[in-house]
């Protein structure tokens, strides 16, 4: 196995462009990162009933997540054992069994092969059906309704993997009794750019907002003070480098145009609810802008009442496919859901006026980094290095925006997984 | 009920109007384009999925969309393109709209008409990133004095996996 650890320089805090553009590096990532890390699949509110299923991806693998009769969620590769045909071509639905469109092998939602056409006439009943069930993803675990799966049987538990990220995820997913629910529908789109560029931005890049989102400031749909920064550095306005390459951005801003009254009232109610459930230090942060990434490629962003959660699926070193869902507190009245939903569509969706500019940047970088000469010169991740602090009130290594302490954590983790061992 | 000749005349009228609209979009006359919409416009493009036949329910509450704009947010989108800092449109993409299959779908008195049309939009971005967006639209137009204003635009994009969308339909 090729040892790629030399592509990250831990002392200098630099990253080789090959991490983002090299085909061989990309191929090894599929095994060593996507084959070993916990990957986000779906939210439990998308498959509430026995028989419900959703199809999605783990890296480049199409998978089928099923809620079985016992209520357990099981995940299988969405590929028939006979000739490999994609079994299920629907996004979601309810089914007890799945019949392969090619020759008609049928599997139940526990992956067992239960039907083989011409079993007697063609197979002389000699096919051992038990051996030919769907390929199961061995580990499936949830945190606050977020379902993750892992190809590595021996991986640490999801709980341990998320580590101190759980404290921050709770600001969103555990602030109310009902938790978060997914709205129907999925934003799915192709983007130029390596998946890590998107992941690292959500992990901890608040530095880009002034330049990349300058147009938002110019039209007055941005912070009242003209900066995506609050006025309580270290306390409420900070970035946190977390376990296992995860990261969190937190800040509070007043919007130039204010916030619609029903949404403002709703956010106040949510903060009051949070005080009953979370620690005082956590409740103080509820209602801020939160942006984060669970290594490798699961990102969240909550802003102006909406929550978008998304996965940056790798599609070769130079492209990705985004799956993005919209969520809101189960307690939100329909009027607030509509305000938040429209705000998300306008800002963070394939047509979103923030999203479009982020999407342009990632493709832009890989296009430039692809050159055989350019790739010899490292990229700089030194911002704030050595200046992070721990804080008794909240986990992680903390620093106010802007810093690249957390972002570089993505590459420290990446290096640990991409070494030759 | 409208007779066939009136219907044809009305269809011609809307063909002219929709071609003019396409010309405005292709020639970056976006402020003038906004004038075609009434102040109560809903400009809406729901997401599509892969569902069992007959199960795609575009009217379900809170369904995600690619656009769900009113006049204020549409105007914001246009203003943003004028800032010189909307990077996904700097430099501006080369865009061409093709409109066809124009039909009068419904009338509601002499001054309200529902018009269907198909579109193809070609976008060439920067050094050669090229995309085609295909779909249909159903518009409710209302005659106010002598001009038609669009009060509702429903856009059905025939895509499941989309691209960064910097264009209007
Ligand atoms: S490939 Fe599925 S039955 Fe043959
Ligand atoms: Fe951004």
């Amino acid at each position: 196995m090729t040892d790629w650890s030399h592509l990250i320089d831990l002392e200098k805090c630099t990253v080789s462009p090959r991490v983002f553009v090299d085909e061989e590096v990309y191929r090894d990532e599929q095994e060593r990162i996507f084959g070993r890390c916990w990957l986000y699949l779906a939210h439990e509110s998308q498959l509430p009933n026995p028989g419900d299923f959703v199809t999605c991806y783990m890296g480049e693998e199409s998978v089928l997540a099923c809620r079985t009769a016992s209520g357990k969620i099981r995940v299988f590769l969405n590929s028939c054992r006979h000739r490999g045909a994609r079994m299920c071509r629907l996004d979601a639905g309810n089914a007890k069994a799945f019949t392969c469109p090619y020759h008609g092998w049928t599997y139940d939602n526990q992956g067992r092969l239960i039907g083989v056409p011409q079993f007697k006439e063609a197979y002389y009943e000699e096919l051992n059906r038990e051996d030919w069930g769907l390929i199961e993803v061995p580990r499936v675990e949830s945190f606050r309704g977020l379902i993750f799966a892992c190809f590595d049987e021996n991986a640490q538990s999801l709980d341990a993997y998320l580590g101190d990220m759980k404290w921050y995820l709770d600001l969103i997913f555990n602030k109310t009794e009902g938790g978060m629910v997914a709205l129907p529908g999925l934003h799915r789109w192709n983007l130029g750019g390596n998946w890590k560029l998107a992941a690292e931005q959500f992990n901890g890049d608040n530095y880009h907002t002034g330049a990349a989102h300058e147009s938002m400031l110019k039209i007055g749909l941005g912070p009242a003070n003209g900066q995506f920064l609050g006025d309580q550095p270290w306390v409420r306005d900070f970035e946190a480098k977390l376990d296992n390459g995860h990261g969190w951005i937190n800040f509070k801003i007043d919007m130039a145009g204010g916030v619609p009254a029903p949404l403002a009232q709703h956010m106040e109610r949510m903060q009051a609810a949070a005080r009953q459930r979370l620690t005082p230090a956590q409740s103080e942060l509820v209602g801020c802008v939160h942006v984060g990434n669970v290594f490798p490629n699961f990102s969240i962003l909550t802003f102006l009442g909406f929550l978008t959660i998304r996965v940056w699926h790798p599609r070769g070193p130079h492209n990705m496919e985004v799956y993005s869902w919209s969520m809101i507190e189960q307690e939100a009245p329909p009027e607030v859901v509509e305000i938040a939903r429209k705000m998300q569509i306008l800002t963070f969706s394939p047509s979103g006026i923030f999203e479009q500019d982020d999407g342009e940047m990632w493709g832009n970088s890989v296009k430039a980094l692809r050159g055989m000469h350019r790739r010899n010169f490292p990229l700089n991740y030194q911002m704030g290095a050595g200046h992070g602090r721990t804080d008794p009130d909240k986990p992680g290594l903390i620093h106010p925006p802007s810093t690249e302490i957390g972002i570089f954590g993505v590459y420290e983790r990446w290096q640990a997984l991409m070494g030759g061992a | 009920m409208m007779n066939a000749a009136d219907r044809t005349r009305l269809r011609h009228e809307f063909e002219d109007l929709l071609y003019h609209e396409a010309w405005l979009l292709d020639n970056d006359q976006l402020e003038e384009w906004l004038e075609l919409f009434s102040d109560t416009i809903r400009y809406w493009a729901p997401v599509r999925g892969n569902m069992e036949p007959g199960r795609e329910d575009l009217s379900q509450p809170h369904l995600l969309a690619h656009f769900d704009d009113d006049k204020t947010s549409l105007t914001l989108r246009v203003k943003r393109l004028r800032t010189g800092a909307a990077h996904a449109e700097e430099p501006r993409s080369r865009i061409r709209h093709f409109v066809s299959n124009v039909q009068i779908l419904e009338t509601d008195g002499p001054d309200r008409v529902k018009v269907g049309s198909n579109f193809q939009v070609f976008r060439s971005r920067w050094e050669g990133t090229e995309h085609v967006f295909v779909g249909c639209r159903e518009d409710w137009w209302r005659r106010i004095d002598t001009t038609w204003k669009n009060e509702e635009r429903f856009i059905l994009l025939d895509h499941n996996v989309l691209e960064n969308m910097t264009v209007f339909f």
Side-chain angles (χ1 to χ4, degrees):
Chain A
M1 280 218 315
T2 315
D3 183 344
W4 297 110
S5 52
H6 64 281
L7 298 179
I8 312 294
D9 188 328
L10 294 182
E11 306 257 290
K12 293 202 183 108
C13 295
T14 60
V15 174
S16 161
R18 294 187 63 192
V19 166
F20 302 104
V21 295
D22 192 301
E23 299 277 351
E24 269 178 83
V25 170
Y26 176 82
R27 261 200 308 279
D28 286 348
E29 278 182 344
Q30 298 316 300
E31 220 179 291
R32 295 188 222 165
I33 294 194
F34 294 94
R36 274 149 72 180
C37 293
W38 282 95
L39 304 176
Y40 180 74
L41 290 185
H43 190 264
E44 288 188 6
S45 63
Q46 294 169 259
L47 50 175
N49 303 310
D52 286 351
F53 67 86
V54 297
T55 52
C56 45
Y57 282 93
M58 292 173 68
E60 293 190 344
E61 310 260 11
S62 168
V63 297
L64 177 61
C66 305
R67 172 90 66 184
T68 62
S70 71
K72 195 178 162 207
I73 288 164
R74 294 179 68 170
V75 179
F76 306 98
L77 293 194
N78 188 9
S79 169
C80 178
R81 290 300 298 280
H82 179 232
R83 284 292 179 283
R86 181 75 63 93
M87 292 285 306
C88 177
R89 275 95 49 84
L90 303 176
D91 298 338
N94 185 286
K96 283 200 178 62
F98 299 91
T99 297
C100 177
Y102 197 176
H103 310 90
W105 283 22
T106 298
Y107 305 83
D108 69 10
N109 69 7
Q110 307 194 55
R112 290 178 298 217
L113 178 59
I114 53 169
V116 175
Q118 303 171 47
F119 184 59
K120 233 187 231 156
E121 303 82 337
Y123 284 100
Y124 298 93
E125 297 184 346
E126 287 163 4
L127 175 75
N128 189 1
R129 283 177 293 197
E130 273 103 84
D131 293 342
W132 296 96
L134 290 177
I135 301 159
E136 185 156 13
V137 181
R139 300 283 298 278
V140 184
E141 290 170 24
S142 297
F143 175 74
R144 308 277 185 235
L146 303 165
I147 308 166
F148 289 77
C150 182
F151 286 117
D152 179 1
E153 243 169 301
N154 304 312
Q156 59 184 328
S157 68
L158 175 66
D159 199 76
Y161 180 83
L162 292 174
D164 48 23
M165 184 71 167
K166 287 180 299 184
W167 192 93
Y168 290 101
L169 289 173
D170 271 349
L171 305 180
I172 298 169
F173 295 95
N174 194 30
K175 68 177 178 296
T176 70
E177 175 77 33
M180 303 299 286
V181 292
L183 305 190
L186 168 69
H187 284 131
R188 191 175 165 185
W189 73 107
N190 298 313
L191 270 185
N194 184 280
W195 64 273
K196 292 184 290 300
L197 290 169
E200 68 151 64
Q201 195 202 87
F202 278 66
N203 171 296
D205 186 341
N206 212 37
Y207 188 52
H208 78 285
T209 47
H213 302 306
E214 186 192 350
S215 63
M216 305 304 295
L217 298 169
K218 287 190 165 170
I219 59 169
L221 196 80
N225 68 359
Q227 281 186 308
F228 290 89
L229 286 176
D231 54 9
Q232 294 189 31
W234 301 100
V235 181
R236 219 166 47 180
D237 307 304
F238 62 89
E239 297 176 12
K241 176 190 178 181
L242 303 169
D243 293 340
N244 289 331
H246 314 319
W248 191 265
I249 308 173
N250 205 92
F251 58 94
K252 177 115 182 168
I253 46 170
D254 293 320
M255 295 299 289
V259 171
L263 180 59
Q265 287 153 16
H266 170 70
M267 288 171 75
E268 266 167 42
R269 280 195 301 272
M270 294 302 102
Q271 187 157 25
R275 287 205 187 91
Q276 309 300 310
R277 301 176 62 81
L278 303 177
T279 67
Q282 284 176 308
S283 325
E284 281 313 302
L285 302 179
V286 167
C288 292
V289 179
H290 307 304
V291 189
N293 187 64
V294 173
F295 188 91
N297 61 340
F298 173 56
S299 288
I300 61 123
L301 179 151
T302 174
F303 181 46
L304 292 173
F306 67 80
L307 168 68
T308 161
I309 65 173
R310 63 254 311 264
V311 181
W312 317 103
H313 292 298
R315 294 290 180 264
H318 311 134
N319 292 290
M320 60 185 125
E321 181 178 333
V322 192
Y323 266 54
S324 167
W325 297 268
S326 183
M327 301 191 80
I328 198 156
E329 295 84 15
Q330 187 258 324
E331 293 85 353
E335 179 196 14
V336 169
V337 178
E338 279 305 284
I339 294 172
R341 172 184 153 280
K342 285 185 182 163
M343 187 56 78
Q344 184 190 324
I345 293 166
L346 177 64
T347 54
F348 285 92
S349 79
S351 77
I353 52 185
F354 277 89
E355 189 95 56
Q356 287 177 20
D357 292 330
D358 290 320
E360 178 82 356
M361 297 308 154
W362 303 323
N364 220 357
S365 287
V366 293
K367 250 188 150 170
L369 292 175
R370 231 180 281 189
M372 287 318 280
H373 193 59
R374 177 64 185 93
R375 59 178 77 181
N376 298 324
F377 297 86
L379 303 173
N380 184 304
Y381 285 77
Q382 295 165 344
M383 192 193 301
H387 297 280
R389 293 190 211 153
T390 54
D391 180 327
D393 277 343
K394 46 188 178 279
L397 193 60
I398 308 293
H399 192 283
S402 297
T403 168
E404 285 166 352
I405 298 170
I407 299 182
F408 194 61
V410 173
Y411 298 98
E412 290 167 354
R413 181 72 189 141
W414 187 91
Q415 187 196 46
L417 292 163
M418 294 292 286
Chain B
M1 266 308 279
M2 202 182 290
N3 67 38
D6 283 347
R7 225 183 164 76
T8 304
R9 188 192 44 75
L10 198 58
R11 179 167 57 77
H12 280 309
E13 190 174 344
F14 277 101
E15 277 173 348
D16 284 349
L17 181 52
L18 293 172
Y19 292 162
H20 174 64
E21 179 184 11
W23 184 91
L24 291 174
L25 286 169
D26 293 344
N27 291 280
D28 202 27
Q29 310 283 313
L30 297 175
E31 288 75 9
E32 210 176 313
W33 175 70
L34 284 172
E35 300 277 297
L36 297 174
F37 297 104
S38 84
D39 291 341
T40 56
I41 178 71
R42 183 183 188 201
Y43 182 94
W44 177 49
V47 296
R48 311 292 302 273
N50 298 301
M51 302 288 165
E52 278 170 60
R55 288 284 294 275
E56 185 172 42
D57 178 6
L58 299 176
S59 63
Q60 60 183 310
H62 313 309
L63 178 66
L64 279 184
H66 295 301
F67 292 92
D68 199 342
D69 282 298
D70 56 18
K71 188 71 176 266
T72 310
S73 61
L74 264 187
T75 306
L76 263 181
R77 288 179 184 276
V78 170
K79 274 195 187 151
R80 196 181 85 89
L81 292 172
R82 298 294 184 233
T83 61
H87 306 289
E89 276 296 322
E90 292 291 337
R92 293 302 296 278
S93 301
R94 292 163 288 274
I95 293 167
R96 197 70 56 203
H97 285 69
F98 299 85
V99 178
S100 71
N101 305 59
V102 177
Q103 281 187 80
I104 303 302
L105 298 173
E106 226 179 301
T107 54
D108 173 18
D111 296 324
R112 272 194 95 219
V113 188
K114 187 179 185 183
V115 183
S117 58
N118 290 355
F119 63 81
Q120 235 193 96
V121 180
F122 172 79
R123 175 183 64 186
S124 156
R125 172 96 202 94
W126 193 25
E127 287 181 329
T129 311
E130 295 180 351
H131 295 120
V132 176
F133 301 96
V134 178
C136 71
R137 303 177 296 193
E138 287 177 9
D139 299 329
W140 269 108
W141 295 86
R142 180 189 290 279
R143 188 174 5 222
I144 299 171
D145 301 327
T146 52
T147 46
W148 291 102
K149 293 273 184 188
N150 195 334
E151 293 191 315
E152 192 180 326
R153 167 156 289 176
F154 170 72
I155 303 159
L156 199 59
L157 283 155
D158 296 329
H159 302 260
N160 178 221
V161 186
L162 268 153
E163 309 291 335
N164 216 7
M165 266 197 297
T166 59
V167 292
F168 296 108
F169 304 104

